[in-house]
Amino acid sequence: MTLYGVPLSPFVRKVLLVAHELDITLDTIEVPPHSDDPDFRRISVTGRIPAFSDGSIELVDSSGISRYLIMQADSDLMGGQDPRRQAQIVGWERFADDDLAPALTDVFIERVVKPVRLGQPTDESVVEVALQRKLPPVWGRLERLLTVGGAWLVDGEFSYADLVLGTHLASAELARALPNESDYPSIVSWHRRIQSRAAYSSMMESV
Ligand SMILES: N[C@@H](CCC(=O)N[C@@H](CS)C(=O)NCC(=O)O)C(=O)O
C-alpha cells in the first residue's frame, strides 16, 4: 500500500496515525501538493494530498483512505456496528477537519511550513491574529466538548475520533500553539494522553 504526500500535512498525518495504530506499514512517496509526479496526479486530479493506492485501488481524501484501512483491518476504530458511535465519530471528524484545522492553518504555515520547508521568515503579525482571534473560539468549543466525556472522545473508548483530533493537535504542538493548561485543562490532559500512544510518537517521528 502506498501513501503519497508529505507528513507536514495534517491530512497525510491522519492516515499515518491510522496506519501506525493498526500496525500497517505503508510505502510513502513524498510529494508536495500539486506535484507533477505522474502516478500521484493520476490518482489526485485536484493535486491535493494525501493520495493512496493498494494495487488497482486508488483513493484520495484522508477520510476515505482512513476508512479503507480501518475496514480492511476489520477494526472497530470507526465505531463498529453501532450507528450512534459511528455518527459521533463523523461529528468529531467534521469538527477537527472543518473547524480546528482551518483555525490552525496560518500559525502552522508561518511557524513550521515557511521556516522549515520553504526557508522563509515567519510573519509574526499573522501568527498573532491566529493566536489571539482565530484559535480561542475553537479551543473554547473543544474544551467544552472534552469536559463532558471520559478518557477518549466517544464513550471514553479510543476510536478514530481520537486520531483525527490527534493529527490537528499535532499541528498545534509542532507550531508551539497548544492552548495553556490553566484556561484549557481538558485539552491539555487529552493531548498528554494521545502523546503517550506509540502511534502518535511514531507519526511525530516521521514529520
Ligand atoms: N479533505 C482533504 C483535504 C486535503 C488537503 O486540503 N490537503 C492540502 C495539504 S494539507 C492540499 O493538498 N492542499 C492543496 C490544495 O488544496 O490545492 C483530505 O482530508 O484529504
PDB file of all heavy atoms in Angstrom, residues 79-95:
ATOM      1  N   GLY A  79     -16.155   2.801  14.936  1.00  0.00           N
ATOM      2  CA  GLY A  79     -17.428   2.713  15.646  1.00  0.00           C
ATOM      3  C   GLY A  79     -18.117   1.367  15.521  1.00  0.00           C
ATOM      4  O   GLY A  79     -19.240   1.209  16.007  1.00  0.00           O
ATOM      5  N   GLY A  80     -17.458   0.420  14.851  1.00  0.00           N
ATOM      6  CA  GLY A  80     -18.034  -0.925  14.722  1.00  0.00           C
ATOM      7  C   GLY A  80     -19.414  -0.880  14.082  1.00  0.00           C
ATOM      8  O   GLY A  80     -19.637  -0.138  13.127  1.00  0.00           O
ATOM      9  N   GLN A  81     -20.357  -1.630  14.633  1.00  0.00           N
ATOM     10  CA  GLN A  81     -21.718  -1.707  14.064  1.00  0.00           C
ATOM     11  C   GLN A  81     -22.681  -0.749  14.762  1.00  0.00           C
ATOM     12  O   GLN A  81     -23.873  -0.767  14.482  1.00  0.00           O
ATOM     13  CB  GLN A  81     -22.259  -3.144  14.210  1.00  0.00           C
ATOM     14  CG  GLN A  81     -21.478  -4.189  13.438  1.00  0.00           C
ATOM     15  CD  GLN A  81     -21.454  -3.875  11.955  1.00  0.00           C
ATOM     16  OE1 GLN A  81     -22.489  -3.583  11.362  1.00  0.00           O
ATOM     17  NE2 GLN A  81     -20.268  -3.901  11.361  1.00  0.00           N
ATOM     18  N   ASP A  82     -22.159   0.080  15.665  1.00  0.00           N
ATOM     19  CA  ASP A  82     -23.036   0.940  16.469  1.00  0.00           C
ATOM     20  C   ASP A  82     -23.291   2.260  15.729  1.00  0.00           C
ATOM     21  O   ASP A  82     -22.378   3.069  15.557  1.00  0.00           O
ATOM     22  CB  ASP A  82     -22.337   1.192  17.814  1.00  0.00           C
ATOM     23  CG  ASP A  82     -23.199   2.003  18.778  1.00  0.00           C
ATOM     24  OD1 ASP A  82     -24.055   2.789  18.297  1.00  0.00           O
ATOM     25  OD2 ASP A  82     -23.002   1.862  19.987  1.00  0.00           O
ATOM     26  N   PRO A  83     -24.551   2.496  15.283  1.00  0.00           N
ATOM     27  CA  PRO A  83     -24.829   3.700  14.494  1.00  0.00           C
ATOM     28  C   PRO A  83     -24.527   4.996  15.246  1.00  0.00           C
ATOM     29  O   PRO A  83     -24.036   5.962  14.667  1.00  0.00           O
ATOM     30  CB  PRO A  83     -26.315   3.607  14.155  1.00  0.00           C
ATOM     31  CG  PRO A  83     -26.822   2.352  14.722  1.00  0.00           C
ATOM     32  CD  PRO A  83     -25.735   1.666  15.497  1.00  0.00           C
ATOM     33  N   ARG A  84     -24.822   5.023  16.544  1.00  0.00           N
ATOM     34  CA  ARG A  84     -24.578   6.254  17.314  1.00  0.00           C
ATOM     35  C   ARG A  84     -23.082   6.542  17.397  1.00  0.00           C
ATOM     36  O   ARG A  84     -22.629   7.668  17.181  1.00  0.00           O
ATOM     37  CB  ARG A  84     -25.167   6.128  18.729  1.00  0.00           C
ATOM     38  CG  ARG A  84     -24.879   7.357  19.606  1.00  0.00           C
ATOM     39  CD  ARG A  84     -25.278   7.140  21.064  1.00  0.00           C
ATOM     40  NE  ARG A  84     -24.696   5.956  21.654  1.00  0.00           N
ATOM     41  CZ  ARG A  84     -23.450   5.889  22.138  1.00  0.00           C
ATOM     42  NH1 ARG A  84     -22.651   6.939  22.107  1.00  0.00           N
ATOM     43  NH2 ARG A  84     -22.998   4.752  22.657  1.00  0.00           N
ATOM     44  N   ARG A  85     -22.309   5.507  17.703  1.00  0.00           N
ATOM     45  CA  ARG A  85     -20.852   5.713  17.796  1.00  0.00           C
ATOM     46  C   ARG A  85     -20.291   6.178  16.449  1.00  0.00           C
ATOM     47  O   ARG A  85     -19.508   7.117  16.371  1.00  0.00           O
ATOM     48  CB  ARG A  85     -20.159   4.399  18.189  1.00  0.00           C
ATOM     49  CG  ARG A  85     -19.897   4.281  19.678  1.00  0.00           C
ATOM     50  CD  ARG A  85     -19.274   2.934  20.037  1.00  0.00           C
ATOM     51  NE  ARG A  85     -17.844   2.846  19.732  1.00  0.00           N
ATOM     52  CZ  ARG A  85     -16.886   3.447  20.440  1.00  0.00           C
ATOM     53  NH1 ARG A  85     -17.197   4.200  21.471  1.00  0.00           N
ATOM     54  NH2 ARG A  85     -15.620   3.299  20.126  1.00  0.00           N
ATOM     55  N   GLN A  86     -20.744   5.517  15.381  1.00  0.00           N
ATOM     56  CA  GLN A  86     -20.274   5.917  14.039  1.00  0.00           C
ATOM     57  C   GLN A  86     -20.609   7.374  13.774  1.00  0.00           C
ATOM     58  O   GLN A  86     -19.785   8.142  13.273  1.00  0.00           O
ATOM     59  CB  GLN A  86     -20.935   5.054  12.965  1.00  0.00           C
ATOM     60  CG  GLN A  86     -20.369   3.666  12.871  1.00  0.00           C
ATOM     61  CD  GLN A  86     -20.788   2.983  11.571  1.00  0.00           C
ATOM     62  OE1 GLN A  86     -21.179   3.651  10.620  1.00  0.00           O
ATOM     63  NE2 GLN A  86     -20.702   1.672  11.533  1.00  0.00           N
ATOM     64  N   ALA A  87     -21.841   7.768  14.119  1.00  0.00           N
ATOM     65  CA  ALA A  87     -22.286   9.140  13.851  1.00  0.00           C
ATOM     66  C   ALA A  87     -21.482  10.142  14.678  1.00  0.00           C
ATOM     67  O   ALA A  87     -21.100  11.217  14.192  1.00  0.00           O
ATOM     68  CB  ALA A  87     -23.774   9.274  14.146  1.00  0.00           C
ATOM     69  N   GLN A  88     -21.219   9.802  15.924  1.00  0.00           N
ATOM     70  CA  GLN A  88     -20.445  10.733  16.772  1.00  0.00           C
ATOM     71  C   GLN A  88     -19.010  10.871  16.270  1.00  0.00           C
ATOM     72  O   GLN A  88     -18.422  11.948  16.332  1.00  0.00           O
ATOM     73  CB  GLN A  88     -20.479  10.260  18.232  1.00  0.00           C
ATOM     74  CG  GLN A  88     -21.872  10.490  18.836  1.00  0.00           C
ATOM     75  CD  GLN A  88     -21.980  10.039  20.279  1.00  0.00           C
ATOM     76  OE1 GLN A  88     -21.314   9.101  20.709  1.00  0.00           O
ATOM     77  NE2 GLN A  88     -22.858  10.673  21.026  1.00  0.00           N
ATOM     78  N   ILE A  89     -18.467   9.778  15.751  1.00  0.00           N
ATOM     79  CA  ILE A  89     -17.102   9.835  15.205  1.00  0.00           C
ATOM     80  C   ILE A  89     -17.066  10.758  13.979  1.00  0.00           C
ATOM     81  O   ILE A  89     -16.156  11.576  13.828  1.00  0.00           O
ATOM     82  CB  ILE A  89     -16.595   8.407  14.888  1.00  0.00           C
ATOM     83  CG1 ILE A  89     -16.343   7.662  16.206  1.00  0.00           C
ATOM     84  CG2 ILE A  89     -15.348   8.440  14.028  1.00  0.00           C
ATOM     85  CD1 ILE A  89     -16.119   6.165  16.070  1.00  0.00           C
ATOM     86  N   VAL A  90     -18.102  10.658  13.132  1.00  0.00           N
ATOM     87  CA  VAL A  90     -18.177  11.567  11.971  1.00  0.00           C
ATOM     88  C   VAL A  90     -18.241  13.015  12.457  1.00  0.00           C
ATOM     89  O   VAL A  90     -17.566  13.907  11.924  1.00  0.00           O
ATOM     90  CB  VAL A  90     -19.393  11.235  11.072  1.00  0.00           C
ATOM     91  CG1 VAL A  90     -19.589  12.312  10.006  1.00  0.00           C
ATOM     92  CG2 VAL A  90     -19.226   9.874  10.422  1.00  0.00           C
ATOM     93  N   GLY A  91     -19.037  13.268  13.493  1.00  0.00           N
ATOM     94  CA  GLY A  91     -19.154  14.624  14.038  1.00  0.00           C
ATOM     95  C   GLY A  91     -17.808  15.154  14.515  1.00  0.00           C
ATOM     96  O   GLY A  91     -17.459  16.320  14.278  1.00  0.00           O
ATOM     97  N   TRP A  92     -17.038  14.302  15.190  1.00  0.00           N
ATOM     98  CA  TRP A  92     -15.714  14.728  15.655  1.00  0.00           C
ATOM     99  C   TRP A  92     -14.781  15.017  14.470  1.00  0.00           C
ATOM    100  O   TRP A  92     -13.990  15.956  14.488  1.00  0.00           O
ATOM    101  CB  TRP A  92     -15.085  13.644  16.549  1.00  0.00           C
ATOM    102  CG  TRP A  92     -15.460  13.811  17.991  1.00  0.00           C
ATOM    103  CD1 TRP A  92     -16.326  13.039  18.713  1.00  0.00           C
ATOM    104  CD2 TRP A  92     -14.981  14.823  18.889  1.00  0.00           C
ATOM    105  NE1 TRP A  92     -16.407  13.517  20.001  1.00  0.00           N
ATOM    106  CE2 TRP A  92     -15.600  14.602  20.141  1.00  0.00           C
ATOM    107  CE3 TRP A  92     -14.098  15.895  18.760  1.00  0.00           C
ATOM    108  CZ2 TRP A  92     -15.355  15.420  21.253  1.00  0.00           C
ATOM    109  CZ3 TRP A  92     -13.848  16.704  19.860  1.00  0.00           C
ATOM    110  CH2 TRP A  92     -14.470  16.460  21.092  1.00  0.00           C
ATOM    111  N   GLU A  93     -14.901  14.202  13.433  1.00  0.00           N
ATOM    112  CA  GLU A  93     -14.020  14.446  12.275  1.00  0.00           C
ATOM    113  C   GLU A  93     -14.377  15.764  11.603  1.00  0.00           C
ATOM    114  O   GLU A  93     -13.501  16.518  11.187  1.00  0.00           O
ATOM    115  CB  GLU A  93     -14.081  13.286  11.264  1.00  0.00           C
ATOM    116  CG  GLU A  93     -13.088  13.510  10.113  1.00  0.00           C
ATOM    117  CD  GLU A  93     -12.787  12.265   9.318  1.00  0.00           C
ATOM    118  OE1 GLU A  93     -13.711  11.466   9.100  1.00  0.00           O
ATOM    119  OE2 GLU A  93     -11.628  12.089   8.900  1.00  0.00           O
ATOM    120  N   ARG A  94     -15.670  16.056  11.530  1.00  0.00           N
ATOM    121  CA  ARG A  94     -16.070  17.335  10.919  1.00  0.00           C
ATOM    122  C   ARG A  94     -15.520  18.498  11.760  1.00  0.00           C
ATOM    123  O   ARG A  94     -15.018  19.481  11.225  1.00  0.00           O
ATOM    124  CB  ARG A  94     -17.597  17.443  10.800  1.00  0.00           C
ATOM    125  CG  ARG A  94     -18.243  16.476   9.833  1.00  0.00           C
ATOM    126  CD  ARG A  94     -18.140  16.931   8.358  1.00  0.00           C
ATOM    127  NE  ARG A  94     -16.794  17.185   7.898  1.00  0.00           N
ATOM    128  CZ  ARG A  94     -15.915  16.246   7.508  1.00  0.00           C
ATOM    129  NH1 ARG A  94     -16.255  14.993   7.495  1.00  0.00           N
ATOM    130  NH2 ARG A  94     -14.695  16.570   7.118  1.00  0.00           N
ATOM    131  N   PHE A  95     -15.658  18.411  13.090  1.00  0.00           N
ATOM    132  CA  PHE A  95     -15.133  19.478  13.941  1.00  0.00           C
ATOM    133  C   PHE A  95     -13.618  19.620  13.730  1.00  0.00           C
ATOM    134  O   PHE A  95     -13.100  20.730  13.545  1.00  0.00           O
ATOM    135  CB  PHE A  95     -15.435  19.193  15.421  1.00  0.00           C
ATOM    136  CG  PHE A  95     -14.659  20.089  16.350  1.00  0.00           C
ATOM    137  CD1 PHE A  95     -15.040  21.412  16.545  1.00  0.00           C
ATOM    138  CD2 PHE A  95     -13.516  19.625  16.998  1.00  0.00           C
ATOM    139  CE1 PHE A  95     -14.301  22.261  17.378  1.00  0.00           C
ATOM    140  CE2 PHE A  95     -12.778  20.463  17.831  1.00  0.00           C
ATOM    141  CZ  PHE A  95     -13.170  21.783  18.019  1.00  0.00           C
TER     142      PHE A  95
END
